[in-house]
Amino acid sequence: MTDTTEATAPHSAFDTILVLDFGSQTSHLILRRLRSLGVYAEMLSCTTKLADLNWKPIGIILSGGPSSVYDDGAPHVDPAVFDLGVPILGICYGCQELAWRIDAQNVARGTTREYGETDLNIHKVSEHADRLFEGLGDTLNVFMSHFDKLVRLPEGFVTIASTKGAEFAGIAHQSKPIFGIQLHPEISHTARGTEILGNFATKVCGARADWKMENFTEKEIIRIRKLVGETAQVIGAVSGGVDSTVAAKLMQEAIGDRFHAILVDTGLMRLNECEQVKETLKEHLGINLTIVDGSELFLGRLAGVLEPEAKRKIIGGTFIDLFEIEALRIEKEAENTHRAGKVEWFLQGTLYADLIESLSFKGPSATIKSHHNAGGLPARMQNGEAQLKLLEPLRELFKDEVRSFGRQLKIHEDLIMRHPFPGPGIGVRIIGEVTPERVEIVRKADHIFISMIKEAGIYNEITQAYAALDTNRAVGVQGDSRVYGYICVLRAVTSLDMMSAEPYEFSWSLLRAISRRIVNEVDGVSRVVYDTTSKPPGTIELE
Ligand SMILES: Nc1ncnc2c1ncn2[C@@H]1O[C@H](COP(=O)(O)OP(=O)(O)OP(=O)(O)O)[C@@H](O)[C@H]1O
Ligand SMILES: O=c1[nH]c(=O)c2[nH+]cn([C@@H]3O[C@H](COP(=O)(O)O)[C@@H](O)[C@H]3O)c2[nH]1
Ligand SMILES: NC(=O)CC[C@H](N)C(=O)O
Ligand SMILES: [Mg+2]
C-alpha cells in the first residue's frame, strides 16, 4: 500500500481487526459482521508478512479455508503474528493452524465430515477463557464445515466448547488471549455468531465500536485535506456510478473547485449516459464535470481484440493515458488563477469488493478477473511512478457502506440505488470483438430492457441488470424472410455483495414482452436468451 493511500486508510483512525484469509468462501463475511457491530476490520491474504504492514491491528482473526494444515504446500501464517502481542482467533482452518503449529499431531482427518448445523456445548472454565462465549448460555446451534479436526488438546490450552463430532470445537489458551473455534461464526446459520465475533473484538481485543459512516465522513474529509494540501489539484474519474459519484462529492466537500471531475466517453457507455451524468452531477451536486470524448481511441484500440482480460487492460490503460493528458490541460488552464497548482492526484471510486475479486486476496489462488481499474491500471500508476498519485478513499468500503456514505453526503436516492455499471462498460458485454455496430445494438437492447424493468417497478428489487451480445448468429424468420442475427443475452441478478448472486425471477409474461420488443425493435438481433446462471459458478458479467 503506497504512503498516500496509507494516510487515508481508515485503519489509521479506527481500531482495526485484521482478518488473514486462508481462502474460505465466507472470509469476507467476517468483515461484514464486525463492521455491522461498529468494529472496523480489514482483510489481507494469509500470505501477508507482518513486516510489510505499516499499521498495527488490535486483534487478528485467521479465517477458514479449503486446505488441510498437515498437507505439503498448505498455507501457514507468518510466525511473527504470535510475537505481535495482540489477541488471535482461529476459525475452522485458522483453529487447526493454531493447534498444528504447536504440534502437528494435534490435527488429523476426522472419521466423518461435520458439515451443516449442530449443537455446540459451551464449557465454563475461567474468567479469561470464558470471554469468547460470554453471555451466550450453555448451548448454541452452530454451522460447521470441516473434515479435519483437533484430535488432541494443544499444550497450554483448555476446551471451552465441544460438539458431537468435535471434542475440541472451542479452545482457549490458559493465559494468552488466543482462541480457536471449529465453527463458523460469520455464517448466518450460526446462532449469535456475530456476538461471538463481537466478544472477541470488544471483550478480548478491547476494540472501540466507533466505525460509523458519520464518523468516517468527517474523518475522511479532514484526512483528505491534510493529504492533498492547500494547492494541489485533483482530477477524478467519475463515471456517474454511485462509487465515483460519492468519491467526487467527498472531494468537492474537501477541496472545492481544486477538484476536477472527468467523465470519459469510452464509446462503450449506455444510451445518452454521458449527457445524463453531466446534468445530474452539475444540477444536483454542483460538481463541474468535463466530458472527454475518447470513443474513437477506445474503439480503435479494441479493434480485433477478443480476450476479456486483454480488453480490460486496453481500457484501463487508455483511461490513464487520457487522464494524464487532461491533467496537463487543467494545469495549463489554471495557471495565473487562484487554482494554480500541479495536478498531483487521480481519484477513483474503487471499492473493497473490486480489490478482493481483482487481486486474489484468497492467498495462493487464481484471480477471477482483473476487475474495475484496480486490475486494469497500468503498473506505472499502481506503483506510483506516474505523474498522478492514486487516491481511492472508498477502497476499504463495501457497496452498501458507500451507499450509506452517499446518503450522509445528501446524494439523491436514485443515484444511490443506481445499478453498478462496469468501467469497461459495453466492452465486456459483447462476447468477442467490440465494433461500433455491435455497441449500438447492445445500447438499444439495454435501453429497452432497463426501461421495461423500471416501468414494471422492479428496478430496486434487482441488484444489477443489463443486455449483452453473443456475437454468434442464430437463424430467425421475420416478415416471412430468413434472418441470421446476433443473440441478445439478458442478465438480471440479486446479490448482497456481488461476490455471489442469483438470477432474478422475472414473471414469464414480462420476460416475453421484453424479448418481443428487443427482437422487433433492435436490428441485428434474431434471438433473446435469459442467463439463469448463479454466481458462482457463473459471474455477473459475461466476460
Ligand atoms: N467512463 C468513466 N469515466 C471516468 N471514470 C470512470 C469511468 N468508468 C469507471 N470509471 C472509474 O473507475 C472506477 C471503477 O468503476 P466502477 O464502475 O466500479 O465504479 P462506478 O462506476 O463509480 O460505480 P458503479 O460500480 O456503481 O458503476 C469508478 O469509480 C471511476 O473512478
Ligand atoms: O469497473 C468494473 N470493471 C470491470 O472490469 C468489471 N468486471 C466486473 N465488474 C463488476 O463487478 C461486479 C462483479 O462482477 P463479476 O461477477 O462479473 O466479476 C459486477 O457489479 C460487475 O458489473 C466490473 N466493474
Ligand atoms: N472450513 C474450513 O476452514 C475447513 C478446514 C479444513 N479444510 C477441514 O476440512 O477441516
Ligand atoms: Mg461503474
Side-chain angles (χ1 to χ4, degrees):
M1 182 177 278
T2 58
D3 290 350
T4 50
T5 315
E6 174 54 30
T8 67
H11 57 236
S12 313
F14 296 92
D15 290 345
T16 303
I17 301 276
L18 171 61
V19 176
L20 292 176
D21 176 25
F22 285 85
S24 163
Q25 288 300 318
T26 58
S27 297
H28 63 287
L29 293 180
I30 301 170
L31 296 186
R32 309 305 312 273
R33 304 294 180 247
L34 287 168
R35 289 193 189 177
S36 70
L37 294 168
V39 175
Y40 183 63
E42 283 186 18
M43 179 161 81
L44 291 172
S45 161
C46 60
T47 55
T48 298
K49 293 288 171 238
L50 279 206
D52 296 340
L53 273 193
N54 38 15
W55 57 280
K56 183 174 181 182
I58 197 164
I60 291 177
I61 294 180
L62 310 181
S63 82
S67 310
S68 291
V69 284
Y70 46 74
D71 277 348
D72 292 345
H76 294 293
V77 75
D78 178 1
V81 156
F82 298 95
D83 305 326
L84 203 56
V86 300
I88 298 171
L89 170 64
I91 295 174
C92 203
Y93 182 93
C95 175
Q96 294 163 5
E97 168 75 358
L98 293 177
W100 179 85
R101 306 185 61 79
I102 293 167
D103 183 336
Q105 302 306 312
N106 288 336
V107 183
R109 175 100 331 178
T111 47
T112 53
R113 172 188 281 270
E114 196 172 31
Y115 187 89
E117 293 176 31
T118 189
D119 286 331
L120 181 84
N121 300 311
I122 296 170
H123 311 309
K124 300 286 185 287
V125 178
S126 67
E127 194 185 332
H128 164 84
D130 296 351
R131 286 177 295 170
L132 191 66
F133 292 117
E134 192 176 311
L136 299 179
D138 299 327
T139 59
L140 276 178
N141 187 264
V142 297
F143 190 86
M144 308 287 268
S145 168
H146 69 103
F147 205 166
D148 303 323
K149 58 189 271 193
L150 273 61
V151 292
R152 298 191 324 193
L153 186 61
E155 194 185 338
F157 280 75
V158 293
T159 303
I160 56 174
S162 58
T163 66
K164 200 158 71 307
E167 185 185 346
F168 311 111
I171 60 172
H173 192 276
Q174 285 162 336
S175 56
K176 294 178 189 167
I178 301 179
F179 297 81
I181 47 180
Q182 191 63 69
L183 61 117
H184 283 266
E186 76 277 15
I187 292 183
S188 53
H189 301 75
T190 291
R192 307 180 72 178
T194 301
E195 291 174 65
I196 298 172
L197 292 171
N199 281 348
F200 175 71
T202 54
K203 293 180 169 53
V204 179
C205 301
R208 286 165 301 170
D210 58 355
W211 165 253
K212 293 185 197 66
M213 269 307 132
E214 42 281 27
N215 299 351
F216 177 72
T217 311
E218 269 132 78
K219 287 182 193 287
E220 202 57 21
I221 288 176
I222 295 164
R223 203 174 10 249
I224 284 175
R225 281 182 183 145
K226 207 167 122 217
L227 179 71
V228 169
E230 301 293 317
T231 58
Q233 304 206 66
V234 177
I235 59 172
V238 181
S239 68
V242 65
D243 309 345
S244 48
T245 302
V246 169
K249 186 62 186 157
L250 171 69
M251 288 312 293
Q252 196 229 20
E253 295 280 318
I255 62 171
D257 63 5
R258 283 190 289 128
F259 171 61
H260 307 270
I262 293 168
L263 167 60
V264 172
D265 180 349
T266 58
L268 304 164
M269 316 294 277
R270 290 168 293 197
L271 197 60
N272 309 323
E273 177 130 35
C274 294
E275 299 67 37
Q276 282 167 5
V277 170
K278 184 172 174 83
E279 191 192 319
T280 313
L281 263 67
K282 189 148 185 60
E283 299 276 301
H284 179 52
L285 299 173
I287 293 176
N288 183 12
L289 182 78
T290 305
I291 297 179
V292 174
D293 183 357
S295 36
E296 268 185 42
L297 186 62
F298 279 90
L299 290 169
R301 290 185 177 179
L302 286 169
V305 179
L306 309 180
E307 206 281 322
E309 288 307 278
K311 292 189 200 176
R312 283 191 169 85
K313 293 285 185 243
I314 289 170
I315 292 167
T318 307
F319 262 125
I320 299 304
D321 292 346
L322 286 177
F323 281 113
E324 285 177 339
I325 294 166
E326 275 307 294
L328 295 172
R329 177 187 66 76
I330 289 166
E331 253 167 35
K332 197 107 193 72
E333 271 177 15
E335 268 170 12
N336 312 320
T337 72
H338 75 280
R339 291 185 317 191
K342 272 185 75 55
V343 172
E344 296 178 23
W345 300 90
F346 173 50
L347 174 84
Q348 275 220 127
T350 315
L351 302 192
Y352 209 62
D354 311 335
L355 297 170
I356 291 176
E357 287 230 346
S358 299
L359 301 176
S360 66
F361 264 60
K362 299 188 179 311
S365 69
T367 296
I368 296 154
K369 55 178 80 172
S370 53
H371 259 218
H372 306 272
N373 299 298
L377 283 180
R380 73 179 187 278
M381 173 61 83
Q382 288 184 8
N383 52 31
E385 283 160 31
Q387 179 219 1
L388 301 173
K389 287 172 284 189
L390 201 50
L391 195 52
E392 296 174 305
L394 312 180
R395 67 185 275 123
E396 316 293 347
L397 302 184
F398 289 96
K399 189 67 108 176
D400 58 316
E401 290 168 328
V402 171
R403 289 197 163 119
S404 104
F405 192 2
R407 290 186 185 104
Q408 294 284 329
L409 294 167
K410 309 271 180 290
I411 294 175
H412 197 278
E413 197 61 12
D414 284 355
L415 230 172
I416 295 278
M417 292 311 290
R418 194 166 180 250
H419 288 182
F421 182 66
I426 294 177
V428 290
R429 295 178 174 176
I430 292 170
I431 300 177
E433 183 184 6
V434 177
T435 65
E437 171 239 7
R438 291 171 176 176
V439 169
E440 270 318 301
I441 291 174
V442 173
R443 211 170 253 159
K444 287 181 187 143
D446 187 79
H447 183 67
I448 291 170
F449 186 32
I450 299 303
S451 318
M452 291 183 78
I453 285 174
K454 287 183 176 172
E455 279 153 27
I458 54 175
Y459 183 81
N460 285 350
E461 278 177 39
I462 297 170
T463 309
Q464 188 164 358
Y466 63 85
L469 204 67
D470 177 347
T471 53
N472 291 301
R473 290 173 186 276
V475 174
V477 54
Q478 290 176 7
D480 288 337
S481 357
R482 177 183 186 273
V483 293
Y484 192 44
Y486 292 123
I487 302 163
C488 173
V489 180
L490 301 181
R491 181 73 159 148
V493 296
T494 54
S495 171
L496 286 177
D497 56 14
M498 303 307 190
M499 311 291 270
S500 61
E502 289 305 320
Y504 179 76
E505 293 188 20
F506 284 103
S507 71
W508 185 239
S509 57
L510 176 59
L511 208 47
R512 292 291 309 277
I514 293 167
S515 168
R516 254 195 313 276
R517 270 202 60 189
I518 291 174
V519 172
N520 285 317
E521 296 177 30
V522 184
D523 288 346
V525 170
S526 66
R527 297 295 179 91
V528 176
V529 296
Y530 182 54
D531 183 350
T532 59
T533 322
S534 56
K535 172 184 183 183
T539 55
I540 292 174
E541 298 294 343
L542 289 183
E543 289 201 330

